[in-house]
Amino acid sequence: MAGDELAARKNDHLDIVLDPSRTKRNGSTGFAAFAFEHCALPELHLQQINLGTTFLGCPLRAPLLISSMTGGPAQAATINRHLAEAAQALGIALGVGSQRIALETGTDHGLGVPLVVKEVGAGISAAMVRHLVAASVTVIDVAGAGGTNWVTVEAQRARTPAQKQAALAFADWGIPAAEALREVHQACLGTPLIASDGIRDGVDLAKAIRLGGDLVGQAPAALPGALRSSKAVIEHFNVIIEQLRIDCFRTGSADLTAPRQARVRSPAQPPL
Amino acid sequence: MAGDELAARKNDHLDIVLDPSRTKRNGSTGFAAFAFEHCALPELHLQQINLGTTFLGCPLRAPLLISSMTGGPAQAATINRHLAEAAQALGIALGVGSQRIALETGTDHGLGVPLVVKEVGAGISAAMVRHLVAASVTVIDVAGAGGTNWVTVEAQRARTPAQKQAALAFADWGIPAAEALREVHQACLGTPLIASDGIRDGVDLAKAIRLGGDLVGQAPAALPGALRSSKAVIEHFNVIIEQLRIDCFRTGSADLTAPRQARVRSPAQPPL
Amino acid sequence: MAGDELAARKNDHLDIVLDPSRTKRNGSTGFAAFAFEHCALPELHLQQINLGTTFLGCPLRAPLLISSMTGGPAQAATINRHLAEAAQALGIALGVGSQRIALETGTDHGLGVPLVVKEVGAGISAAMVRHLVAASVTVIDVAGAGGTNWVTVEAQRARTPAQKQAALAFADWGIPAAEALREVHQACLGTPLIASDGIRDGVDLAKAIRLGGDLVGQAPAALPGALRSSKAVIEHFNVIIEQLRIDCFRTGSADLTAPRQARVRSPAQPPL
Amino acid sequence: MAGDELAARKNDHLDIVLDPSRTKRNGSTGFAAFAFEHCALPELHLQQINLGTTFLGCPLRAPLLISSMTGGPAQAATINRHLAEAAQALGIALGVGSQRIALETGTDHGLGVPLVVKEVGAGISAAMVRHLVAASVTVIDVAGAGGTNWVTVEAQRARTPAQKQAALAFADWGIPAAEALREVHQACLGTPLIASDGIRDGVDLAKAIRLGGDLVGQAPAALPGALRSSKAVIEHFNVIIEQLRIDCFRTGSADLTAPRQARVRSPAQPPL
Ligand SMILES: Cc1cc2nc3c(=O)[nH]c(=O)nc-3n(C[C@H](O)[C@H](O)[C@H](O)COP(=O)(O)O)c2cc1C
Ligand SMILES: Cc1cc2nc3c(=O)[nH]c(=O)nc-3n(C[C@H](O)[C@H](O)[C@H](O)COP(=O)(O)O)c2cc1C
Ligand SMILES: Cc1cc2nc3c(=O)[nH]c(=O)nc-3n(C[C@H](O)[C@H](O)[C@H](O)COP(=O)(O)O)c2cc1C
Ligand SMILES: Cc1cc2nc3c(=O)[nH]c(=O)nc-3n(C[C@H](O)[C@H](O)[C@H](O)COP(=O)(O)O)c2cc1C
């Protein structure tokens, strides 16, 4: 793809993702299909809870990644500056680069943030993961279906009605995020895992950790703030971090142990 | 929490819970997931049915507790007087005190009604119950999810939009009331059990007994009456008691034996 | 109940059941949970199909019973005359008498139609059926939940708001018709069985036979016609009989063999 | 049926099927109950993918059949000419003849397209298929429920209200297309199989192949185009063919191997 075309495409993505009337989720992520078991007497203080973790040797104040983007658009430069400043201030990770670049270089990118093999919106199967690990990939970003629907985003950029119609048959395509995550985790125990796609809040974040994520990514939800200021981005992620903290509190955990191991329940079984 | 602040909070609770447009249930209690088996020929008279029971040595005319509240507000004093007069007239139990006080004192509170370890709106896990029983707690009040949604109630009291947003991620949190009840019952056979949260009528009440409750609590549904008079409260609970009586009749039981042991069915299996 | 009161009650029933805005079904009958397997090449003519059966020694042209009613009301007399004339013309059965009378006499009633132990709207459990068979009852009419909702019908006749509210907690009570039927059939193989409640059309009728019914009853659906003329009643039941005939055709059966034995399928299993 | 009557019937079918307000699907096809596993790194080019297949010795550029119709109507002649020209240009199959004729002749029909035993809208059971194969039928067209609802189409042609009402009880009749297909395939491994009914797009087409279809038919969706020109028909099917190509791409398959064998997943299991 030529540079101009790529830039135009990235601008289109921004415009579409920022307009709620033009975006829709593809199916469900599957996170709602299970829930943490409530701990009625946590015996700890909310403020004591330590959300810190280490990812590829880098200490982070929370297991959170701001998924980001490369490419031409002027708008994107501002956005990424705000995201980077926020990541710095919050002590969380920032993702850069497109999958294409990541696959070609397979190295660190200068911002102290690892590059990853990443698939967006349709999930990675266990078979593919074993293939990637065998090919010495160090980090996998598992994004399944249920978040931003890239099929419908791209369908809005279709040049002909036929192209658009052809694309829309795939609007529901993809392994739900939660299932993709669990399968990949089981297929590559030990390989650092990023979970993206469809993370709405800190409860989803905790569930993504529970399913095997080492780091959890969120992107488009931060975009409205990122257009304004790094402060707005910080405020956005502070809510998510606070929710993760409350999730730890409600599962009685002073650190990430509970999100990683706590008992979960799937709802809707008759009690008798 | 300071006295004034607590009083303000209690007033807020009353205002919010009394306004249907501001309250919503969190998920379902799970009581609808099973049903008593109908007894086509009960061979008894409705008026013969004896709903009497004994709780902690106190005889009651029905296994019913009016869950109540402590705290400053003038409004609450009137409400509680009406509730207390109604409990007296009906020969049913009245709950007083907040969980905090209950945990500290662990003793009777003067109105002849036992204090209990109680969790509201999210359920108690089996693990926690065994912990409480080991710590010599005498009564457990199991309130699960599906009734008054305290997360959304408190969210309406949030001081900042960020606080509110952080809270709302937990609106669906909690073990459904019916499941929590069954689990706690199995984990602490012998410990007197109060079932609260989400009891809408005498059929739910009978189901809560079926799942192991010795006493069944109801609170906010009685509030509109409690603002008016003890007579209005009595009328409210008489309907519930009459429904429990009809439930006994329809399961062919002259006392609480059927609610405690009757065969239940879970709907929605294909008959062939 | 005094005669006048009973007559008033029967009149109320008619008025309520005839007014669609005042009646609602209680839950589902469960008939929709399974379906006959389609026979793509029936190799028979629709008009050849013989729906004849014998019930308690009486030959019938179809396994159909017009469930009816006794009691005072003038209106009911006309209705029952139309129903009786239609039953005669169609060669199908007509039910008379109330359960109360049936239980006391246990004998034939003069119209050549047997009286039955019958429960309406909540089903009979297997345990109760064994009890009835042991007590020498000859015919059982199994009516489960899912048809006319007698709880809501009676609730509209409640004398006080409290009575009405007490009743409405039972609006969903009862064993779904299809389940009740299957259970009773298995509990009393050999005892003639009538299936009532919630039969909407000839497909439901065939399913009720498949679940063990020897005769299938329908009542309120025939009421609008019964107010007009026996011709209107005949037209109503001719549609149902025609549907039963088509059901036999579509299952490749020249008589009631298929409705009694054909393979059924429960929908909604993933094909792979 | 007389020629005139048949012609009138065919015209009615066209009018009804072309009017969205008069057509409805009967239940679901069942195709949505499973999904192909996504292949994140296909390692092939979209344009390389070869969709070619052979059916009864005839090479086809895609496993696609335009299901068509015989009969009198002038309108139908135009439609069929457009469909035939499109099939020729696209290198896909065209179905002709009614089931009745097919069963009587059992031979080729001159357009180089085989005639098949075909049932429309209700599915063929495994038992019936074994019967047909034993009777030397060479091709089976399995059309199950979930597509054009022929019961409601015919109900709109009913001569009397009673006929219409009798028919409508069967609006939900039939084995869902996907289930019928899988069962027939398992019952007659080796017999060429056409899958019709309810195919909305190339993803459904790929799923129909996955369930055992050798050729997949589509008809009414092409009708609006077929009224206009062969070009419009070609454009319609090009979208479907492009979708099948994308489906192959997304399952990492350079030909029809993946649609035939790829791993599938049924959604909606809790991930933990
Ligand atoms: C406007 C926009 C641009 C994006 N650009 C890139 C990119 O260049 N490279 C990349 O790997 N991911 C990119 N992504 C994907 C996100 O990093 C992220 O993986 C995905 O949106 C997360 O799923 P979610 O939307 O469900 O939260 C972009 C996302 C958005 C919304
Ligand atoms: C306005 C209000 C105030 C309450 N105050 C107290 C309290 O002070 N202490 C306490 O243990 N429970 C308190 N509760 C909880 C109730 O006693 C009860 O456990 C709960 O509301 C029952 O669940 P339900 O709303 O689903 O029926 C209060 C409830 C309401 C509605
Ligand atoms: C207006 C009306 C009056 C009825 N009266 C009697 C009666 O006197 N005795 C009786 O056994 N059943 C009576 N039934 C019950 C019907 O015979 C029948 O069992 C029931 O309505 C069938 O269920 P369905 O409404 O779901 O079809 C009456 C039903 C209606 C609608
Ligand atoms: C207007 C119309 C006329 C049809 N005529 C015939 C016919 O004459 N012979 C035949 O075998 N199928 C006929 N069909 C059935 C189609 O070939 C096809 O099997 C069916 O419509 C496919 O199901 P679908 O509508 O769910 O895609 C006709 C369909 C339509 C819509």
Side-chain angles (χ1 to χ4, degrees), chain D residues 36-259:
Chain D
F36 286 104
E37 182 162 284
H38 181 64
C39 171
L41 286 174
E43 304 193 56
L44 53 92
H45 285 284
L46 193 59
Q47 298 321 324
Q48 287 173 345
I49 294 168
N50 175 9
L51 303 176
T53 189
T54 294
F55 191 75
L56 296 183
C58 301
L60 296 169
R61 292 219 294 273
L64 193 45
L65 166 81
I66 310 183
S67 303
S68 177
M69 65 198 155
T70 52
Q75 216 180 8
T78 316
I79 286 172
N80 280 328
R81 186 163 41 78
H82 292 155
L83 295 179
E85 286 166 8
Q88 187 88 20
L90 292 162
I92 62 177
L94 176 73
V96 291
S98 75
Q99 187 188 26
R100 214 165 291 180
I101 299 171
L103 277 174
E104 282 158 21
T105 65
T107 60
D108 263 21
H109 198 65
L111 284 169
V113 178
L115 294 168
V116 298
V117 169
K118 170 177 175 186
E119 209 281 333
V120 177
I124 305 181
S125 65
M128 182 59 62
V129 162
R130 279 186 285 263
H131 184 75
L132 293 171
V133 172
S136 303
V137 162
T138 49
V139 181
I140 295 172
D141 187 327
V142 194
T148 306
N149 192 325
W150 292 101
V151 166
T152 55
V153 167
E154 289 292 347
Q156 294 176 57
R157 301 182 62 253
R159 256 158 290 182
T160 65
Q163 258 184 16
K164 181 172 186 167
Q165 210 193 322
L168 286 177
F170 297 88
D172 291 330
W173 189 274
I175 311 172
E179 278 181 53
L181 187 48
R182 187 194 51 110
E183 281 191 23
V184 168
H185 174 63
Q186 278 165 6
C188 69
L189 296 168
T191 301
L193 214 56
I194 302 175
S196 312
D197 232 340
I199 304 295
R200 291 162 312 176
D201 53 37
V203 176
D204 277 357
L205 198 167
K207 289 180 177 179
I209 291 176
R210 184 64 185 78
L211 291 168
D214 294 294
L215 211 57
V216 181
Q218 207 201 32
L223 274 181
L227 282 176
R228 295 209 303 277
S229 64
S230 55
K231 186 161 164 287
V233 178
I234 292 172
E235 277 165 10
H236 169 81
F237 283 107
N238 265 335
V239 167
I240 305 226
I241 290 167
E242 185 64 13
Q243 289 166 334
L244 177 60
R245 197 183 307 282
I246 300 174
D247 193 287
C248 288
F249 183 76
R250 288 183 163 234
T251 49
S253 179
D255 53 27
L256 295 177
T257 308

Side-chain angles (χ1 to χ4, degrees), chain C residues 35-43 201-203 235-236 239 242-247 250-251 263 265-272, chain D residues 30 33-34 99 103 119 122-126 128 131-132 151 162 165-167 169-170 173-175 178-179 182-183 210-211 264 266:
Chain C
F36 286 104
E37 182 162 285
H38 180 65
C39 172
L41 287 174
E43 304 191 57
D201 53 37
V203 177
E235 277 166 9
H236 170 81
V239 168
E242 185 64 13
Q243 289 166 334
L244 177 60
R245 195 183 308 282
I246 299 173
D247 193 287
R250 288 182 163 235
T251 48
R263 268 193 69 197
R265 327 172 45 95
S266 56
Q269 306 137 355
L272 260 193
Chain D
F34 69 101
Q99 187 188 26
L103 277 174
E119 209 281 333
I124 305 181
S125 65
M128 182 59 62
H131 184 75
L132 293 171
V151 166
Q165 210 193 322
F170 297 88
W173 189 274
I175 311 172
E179 278 181 53
R182 187 194 51 110
E183 281 191 23
R210 184 64 185 78
L211 291 168
V264 296
S266 57

